[in-house]
Amino acid sequence: MQTKERYQLQRLTLLALLTAMCVVLRIFKIIDIPNVQPVTDIIMLTTLELGAGTGILLAILVMVISNIFLGFGIWTLPQIFAYAACALTVALFARLLPLKSRKFFWLQELLAGFLGLEYGFFVSLGMAGWGGWAAFIAYWVSGLTFDLYHAAGNLAFYPIFYLPLVLGLDRFKKKAGWKQNA
């Protein structure tokens, strides 16, 4: 039987490792194309495997810590909001569709691509708080190309990260006795 403190330490350690991986992959890009990085896919897989709360917490940590290096600005809060919205979208679709079934991997892949577009939409929507609806429209339209890059990157990275992350997270859940609502 595992103590509560040990369980909490294991959760914290996993979250720290996932955060570090995302921050490094966000700062030191694998491919030098704007908005192409596997962070969204990692947040999606974490949400699918460990729940919306963990996915949202990972999103917040990644954006705050990576922006320490990349720079904070009026975009930081909309970025956090956008990734939280992505995690909630994944959780919602996981309840409505057989997303976790490997038989329906194509649904996960489709959702990963959609999240690239959704992220850009919500970041743009967050900019409306600073400049009104005109700022939202301008920001969103000017960023559509980058949102498409983001979606394409998600589609490319998802099959690469899927199996290692799912196997690793499943192993962790079994060893740590993971409680979904914890």
Side-chain angles (χ1 to χ4, degrees), residues 9-179:
L9 182 60
Q10 288 174 328
R11 286 188 68 207
L12 182 63
T13 303
L14 176 66
L15 194 57
L17 288 171
L18 289 169
T19 301
M21 180 172 62
C22 287
V23 167
V24 167
L25 290 170
R26 185 164 186 250
I27 294 171
F28 303 105
K29 298 172 67 69
I30 297 171
I31 298 173
D32 198 25
I33 300 173
N35 290 18
V36 176
Q37 68 225 346
V39 174
T40 309
D41 293 334
I42 296 167
I43 290 172
M44 177 178 165
L45 287 165
T46 300
T47 301
L48 277 174
E49 293 298 316
L50 305 178
T54 304
I56 291 169
L57 186 55
L58 176 62
I60 292 167
L61 288 169
V62 169
M63 296 317 296
V64 169
I65 295 170
S66 63
N67 280 356
I68 289 171
F69 299 98
L70 299 173
F72 283 94
I74 61 172
W75 55 84
T76 302
L77 287 177
Q79 286 176 328
I80 292 169
F81 169 67
Y83 266 138
C86 288
L88 290 173
T89 298
V90 171
L92 175 67
F93 277 96
R95 285 183 180 259
L96 300 175
L97 301 170
L99 270 185
K100 291 184 79 172
S101 169
R102 289 188 185 174
K103 183 175 150 184
F104 293 102
F105 179 79
W106 63 274
L107 279 173
Q108 292 180 32
E109 185 81 17
L110 192 65
L111 182 57
F114 171 77
L115 292 178
L117 300 173
E118 180 186 39
Y119 174 82
F121 176 82
F122 279 113
V123 167
S124 300
L125 187 62
M127 299 310 284
W130 282 275
W133 290 109
F136 160 69
I137 297 295
Y139 208 82
W140 182 61
V141 170
S142 65
L144 278 174
T145 303
F146 297 102
D147 297 343
L148 290 171
Y149 291 157
H150 190 167
N154 289 353
L155 292 171
F157 283 124
Y158 197 80
I160 296 168
F161 280 83
Y162 173 78
L163 198 55
L165 266 177
V166 168
L167 291 175
L169 292 173
D170 281 346
R171 182 170 181 226
F172 171 81
K173 287 189 301 189
K174 286 178 187 150
K175 271 186 107 167
W178 183 267
K179 299 173 192 102

